[in-house]
Amino acid sequence: MSAASQSRPLRADAARNRQLLLDAAAMIFAEHGMQASVAQIARQAGIAKGTVFRHFPTKDDLVAAIVCDQLDYLSAAGTALSDAADPTAALLEFMTSVVELQTRDRSLCQAAVGIFQDNQEIQACADRLTKITEILTERARLQGGIRGDVTGQDVILLLRGVYQAAAPLSDRQPTLWRRFLAVVFEGLRSPAAYPLPLPAPDLFRSPLGDGQSPPGARAPTSLQIRDDRGNSEEP
Amino acid sequence: MSAASQSRPLRADAARNRQLLLDAAAMIFAEHGMQASVAQIARQAGIAKGTVFRHFPTKDDLVAAIVCDQLDYLSAAGTALSDAADPTAALLEFMTSVVELQTRDRSLCQAAVGIFQDNQEIQACADRLTKITEILTERARLQGGIRGDVTGQDVILLLRGVYQAAAPLSDRQPTLWRRFLAVVFEGLRSPAAYPLPLPAPDLFRSPLGDGQSPPGARAPTSLQIRDDRGNSEEP
DNA sequence: TAACAAGATGACCGACTGGTCCGCTTCTCT
DNA sequence: AGAGAAGCGGACCAGTCGGTCATCTTGTTA
């Protein structure tokens, strides 16, 4: 969909093999994560390994093609919810979609944020996803459904956490993430008992040293998140 | 500390090298995760690769030695808090310790739960950690500081999620996890707006088919966690 | 149908992994 | 001091990885 319309249309067999390859890669990556080998994918697709590299110069390019598809899918899902009547319910539904897809596809969870910060294509897709998440979050915030100090980047990072929390038991309790999503969403709801500590995350700007712990920025809470502990030696 | 007191005491140079090796491994694993190569660790320790395998028959044994130390450290921290005056504050402090250590040591996050389910030694340490977490959680629950349907295993899995959520930005915002821990802890607090869906996680028993989604077990909430979506095709 | 370019192939490459092994060194004990 | 055992070093092994390339096949087009 992206690099196919360059110059000539693909020859029939090439187009067929490319699709076989994409399907196989999506399946293998979903099952084994992106550390699955190219040879394994080629075997699954029923084509030779050299053919894989003809279609995608590097393995990262193949991963990017798969991951971008998934990220775009989520962006589309978010966009479809961006004018829902109930913004808070829409945000929850969006969050559900994101974790659900992560659970189905293990490669996505490694790609969702920052892991591929060197891959331009994935970055662009991730940026789009972050943007629509920001929109959904702001609508819910304005509605008062979630606390005022939560950002879209909080949401997207927390969704990664929800998936990862449930991942160890994904075999035996494949829907456990719903439970953890409920906990996290509860934590995002209004009214906030205590303000969140620290400035919000920033996936894009602040390449380094954005003043990530400005003095006095920590909120005073009765149940303070502990700042430091006296031990400097290892156990 | 574990296999050293077998038969003879180590020779002086062996003991020295063993300590060099453990220190180097802890540092390298903390920095690069447990996928760091044995050669890299040997290089860091200034000893030959063969010597590594003399002290630890396999890489997994080396990983286990490091990880068990960390898990035991956390268990001890939890035990020290198990009779604190304010159980809810104690639980939060314990949770802070856990995420903090995960942030410092990337190997721990992969080991905390279930990843090493085949390694007896790590399993034993993880079980102890889970047990003390359960105790701390129950005390906070009885105090009314956290909602009644939260278990210790919820807590330990969520802590993994908190770390993972903040991990992508750990370079630029190394204390971001405090923010996410605050969100999650807020979600655990009493009073619960809605009951948590699904039965609690179970790390040990239920090797399979413990009825992980019994009909009607899902809680009725106004903002329901969506159960299923109609699309069966990929994007 | 014939010629040619696009595509497919799989042996091959170098880099890397965890792990082994044997000759050499060094510590310890008498 | 000297013997013997414990420990060490690093070449080596088999396996895997991503990636390349010369050669063969096949779809397309004149």
PDB file of all heavy atoms in Angstrom, chain B residues 10-21:
ATOM      1  N   LEU B  10      35.985 -21.914  48.447  1.00  0.00           N
ATOM      2  CA  LEU B  10      36.625 -21.559  47.179  1.00  0.00           C
ATOM      3  C   LEU B  10      38.073 -21.120  47.406  1.00  0.00           C
ATOM      4  O   LEU B  10      38.393 -20.535  48.439  1.00  0.00           O
ATOM      5  CB  LEU B  10      35.851 -20.427  46.512  1.00  0.00           C
ATOM      6  CG  LEU B  10      34.553 -20.811  45.791  1.00  0.00           C
ATOM      7  CD1 LEU B  10      33.884 -19.575  45.236  1.00  0.00           C
ATOM      8  CD2 LEU B  10      34.836 -21.806  44.684  1.00  0.00           C
ATOM      9  N   ARG B  11      38.880 -21.395  46.435  1.00  0.00           N
ATOM     10  CA  ARG B  11      40.246 -20.900  46.496  1.00  0.00           C
ATOM     11  C   ARG B  11      40.211 -19.370  46.384  1.00  0.00           C
ATOM     12  O   ARG B  11      39.247 -18.810  45.861  1.00  0.00           O
ATOM     13  CB  ARG B  11      41.053 -21.511  45.333  1.00  0.00           C
ATOM     14  CG  ARG B  11      42.412 -21.992  45.715  1.00  0.00           C
ATOM     15  CD  ARG B  11      43.058 -22.745  44.598  1.00  0.00           C
ATOM     16  NE  ARG B  11      43.402 -21.925  43.457  1.00  0.00           N
ATOM     17  CZ  ARG B  11      44.053 -22.384  42.385  1.00  0.00           C
ATOM     18  NH1 ARG B  11      44.383 -23.667  42.323  1.00  0.00           N
ATOM     19  NH2 ARG B  11      44.350 -21.602  41.397  1.00  0.00           N
ATOM     20  N   ALA B  12      41.291 -18.731  46.861  1.00  0.00           N
ATOM     21  CA  ALA B  12      41.248 -17.265  46.941  1.00  0.00           C
ATOM     22  C   ALA B  12      40.975 -16.619  45.588  1.00  0.00           C
ATOM     23  O   ALA B  12      40.099 -15.750  45.467  1.00  0.00           O
ATOM     24  CB  ALA B  12      42.560 -16.747  47.515  1.00  0.00           C
ATOM     25  N   ASP B  13      41.706 -17.041  44.568  1.00  0.00           N
ATOM     26  CA  ASP B  13      41.514 -16.402  43.254  1.00  0.00           C
ATOM     27  C   ASP B  13      40.144 -16.722  42.681  1.00  0.00           C
ATOM     28  O   ASP B  13      39.524 -15.883  42.013  1.00  0.00           O
ATOM     29  CB  ASP B  13      42.629 -16.829  42.298  1.00  0.00           C
ATOM     30  CG  ASP B  13      42.741 -18.348  42.194  1.00  0.00           C
ATOM     31  OD1 ASP B  13      42.173 -19.045  43.048  1.00  0.00           O
ATOM     32  OD2 ASP B  13      43.402 -18.833  41.263  1.00  0.00           O
ATOM     33  N   ALA B  14      39.660 -17.920  42.974  1.00  0.00           N
ATOM     34  CA  ALA B  14      38.343 -18.293  42.475  1.00  0.00           C
ATOM     35  C   ALA B  14      37.264 -17.427  43.111  1.00  0.00           C
ATOM     36  O   ALA B  14      36.355 -16.932  42.443  1.00  0.00           O
ATOM     37  CB  ALA B  14      38.074 -19.761  42.752  1.00  0.00           C
ATOM     38  N   ALA B  15      37.394 -17.239  44.431  1.00  0.00           N
ATOM     39  CA  ALA B  15      36.412 -16.410  45.122  1.00  0.00           C
ATOM     40  C   ALA B  15      36.445 -14.981  44.582  1.00  0.00           C
ATOM     41  O   ALA B  15      35.398 -14.360  44.355  1.00  0.00           O
ATOM     42  CB  ALA B  15      36.688 -16.413  46.620  1.00  0.00           C
ATOM     43  N   ARG B  16      37.651 -14.505  44.370  1.00  0.00           N
ATOM     44  CA  ARG B  16      37.794 -13.139  43.850  1.00  0.00           C
ATOM     45  C   ARG B  16      37.152 -13.024  42.472  1.00  0.00           C
ATOM     46  O   ARG B  16      36.357 -12.126  42.210  1.00  0.00           O
ATOM     47  CB  ARG B  16      39.286 -12.787  43.778  1.00  0.00           C
ATOM     48  CG  ARG B  16      39.565 -11.352  43.409  1.00  0.00           C
ATOM     49  CD  ARG B  16      41.073 -11.065  43.304  1.00  0.00           C
ATOM     50  NE  ARG B  16      41.915 -12.084  43.897  1.00  0.00           N
ATOM     51  CZ  ARG B  16      42.779 -12.821  43.208  1.00  0.00           C
ATOM     52  NH1 ARG B  16      42.903 -12.655  41.913  1.00  0.00           N
ATOM     53  NH2 ARG B  16      43.519 -13.716  43.820  1.00  0.00           N
ATOM     54  N   ASN B  17      37.455 -13.968  41.603  1.00  0.00           N
ATOM     55  CA  ASN B  17      36.892 -13.916  40.259  1.00  0.00           C
ATOM     56  C   ASN B  17      35.374 -14.088  40.275  1.00  0.00           C
ATOM     57  O   ASN B  17      34.667 -13.469  39.483  1.00  0.00           O
ATOM     58  CB  ASN B  17      37.525 -15.002  39.388  1.00  0.00           C
ATOM     59  CG  ASN B  17      38.844 -14.550  38.801  1.00  0.00           C
ATOM     60  OD1 ASN B  17      39.137 -13.365  38.789  1.00  0.00           O
ATOM     61  ND2 ASN B  17      39.643 -15.488  38.339  1.00  0.00           N
ATOM     62  N   ARG B  18      34.908 -14.920  41.167  1.00  0.00           N
ATOM     63  CA  ARG B  18      33.470 -15.118  41.246  1.00  0.00           C
ATOM     64  C   ARG B  18      32.764 -13.813  41.594  1.00  0.00           C
ATOM     65  O   ARG B  18      31.721 -13.475  41.019  1.00  0.00           O
ATOM     66  CB  ARG B  18      33.143 -16.181  42.289  1.00  0.00           C
ATOM     67  CG  ARG B  18      31.659 -16.512  42.380  1.00  0.00           C
ATOM     68  CD  ARG B  18      31.349 -17.410  43.573  1.00  0.00           C
ATOM     69  NE  ARG B  18      29.931 -17.437  43.857  1.00  0.00           N
ATOM     70  CZ  ARG B  18      29.088 -18.302  43.320  1.00  0.00           C
ATOM     71  NH1 ARG B  18      29.530 -19.206  42.489  1.00  0.00           N
ATOM     72  NH2 ARG B  18      27.800 -18.240  43.612  1.00  0.00           N
ATOM     73  N   GLN B  19      33.364 -13.078  42.524  1.00  0.00           N
ATOM     74  CA  GLN B  19      32.756 -11.806  42.906  1.00  0.00           C
ATOM     75  C   GLN B  19      32.835 -10.795  41.764  1.00  0.00           C
ATOM     76  O   GLN B  19      31.862 -10.077  41.480  1.00  0.00           O
ATOM     77  CB  GLN B  19      33.449 -11.249  44.157  1.00  0.00           C
ATOM     78  CG  GLN B  19      32.654 -10.135  44.827  1.00  0.00           C
ATOM     79  CD  GLN B  19      31.222 -10.568  45.127  1.00  0.00           C
ATOM     80  OE1 GLN B  19      30.991 -11.613  45.717  1.00  0.00           O
ATOM     81  NE2 GLN B  19      30.245  -9.793  44.665  1.00  0.00           N
ATOM     82  N   LEU B  20      33.994 -10.764  41.095  1.00  0.00           N
ATOM     83  CA  LEU B  20      34.130  -9.884  39.926  1.00  0.00           C
ATOM     84  C   LEU B  20      33.048 -10.207  38.900  1.00  0.00           C
ATOM     85  O   LEU B  20      32.429  -9.316  38.307  1.00  0.00           O
ATOM     86  CB  LEU B  20      35.521 -10.062  39.295  1.00  0.00           C
ATOM     87  CG  LEU B  20      36.704  -9.399  40.006  1.00  0.00           C
ATOM     88  CD1 LEU B  20      38.011  -9.809  39.345  1.00  0.00           C
ATOM     89  CD2 LEU B  20      36.553  -7.884  39.990  1.00  0.00           C
ATOM     90  N   LEU B  21      32.854 -11.504  38.716  1.00  0.00           N
ATOM     91  CA  LEU B  21      31.875 -11.960  37.728  1.00  0.00           C
ATOM     92  C   LEU B  21      30.464 -11.537  38.113  1.00  0.00           C
ATOM     93  O   LEU B  21      29.704 -11.012  37.292  1.00  0.00           O
ATOM     94  CB  LEU B  21      31.978 -13.481  37.613  1.00  0.00           C
ATOM     95  CG  LEU B  21      30.952 -14.189  36.742  1.00  0.00           C
ATOM     96  CD1 LEU B  21      30.958 -13.610  35.347  1.00  0.00           C
ATOM     97  CD2 LEU B  21      31.263 -15.673  36.705  1.00  0.00           C
TER      98      LEU B  21
END
